[in-house]
């Protein structure tokens, strides 16, 4: 599998927490942890899911919760 290298800036506390997860054995390495986090984010924020939430918000805004 071809991989792409990225460079990212993280807040120190977030980086420290991520590294602690790796040190505790929850991920094999920092790259694996970031890849899994990004994968989960993208899965939970798919266009269909986002669109459904937006449409629900619009309906609520137009008609309230009554």
């Amino acid at each position: 599998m071809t991989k792409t290298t990225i460079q990212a800036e993280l807040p120190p506390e977030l980086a420290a927490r991520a590294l602690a997860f790796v040190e505790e054995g929850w991920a094999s390495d920092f790259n694996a942890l970031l890849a899994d986090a990004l994968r989960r984010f993208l899965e939970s924020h798919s266009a269909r899911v986002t669109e459904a939430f937006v449409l629900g918000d619009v309906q609520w805004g137009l008609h309230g919760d009554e």
Side-chain angles (χ1 to χ4, degrees):
M1 174 167 90
T2 303
K3 296 186 180 190
T4 301
T5 299
I6 62 169
Q7 183 176 346
E9 294 182 15
L10 301 174
E13 176 61 26
L14 183 59
R17 290 175 59 194
L19 288 170
F21 261 68
V22 173
E23 290 171 5
E24 293 168 4
W26 293 103
S28 57
D29 59 35
F30 194 70
N31 289 331
L33 180 105
L34 291 180
D36 188 45
L38 180 57
R39 183 175 20 265
R40 289 171 184 250
F41 178 87
L42 293 173
E43 287 171 355
S44 67
H45 290 79
S46 72
R48 285 188 301 177
V49 171
T50 302
E51 184 177 345
F53 282 124
V54 169
L55 290 175
D57 286 347
V58 168
Q59 289 300 315
W60 180 86
L62 292 173
H63 306 290
D65 59 352
E66 301 174 21

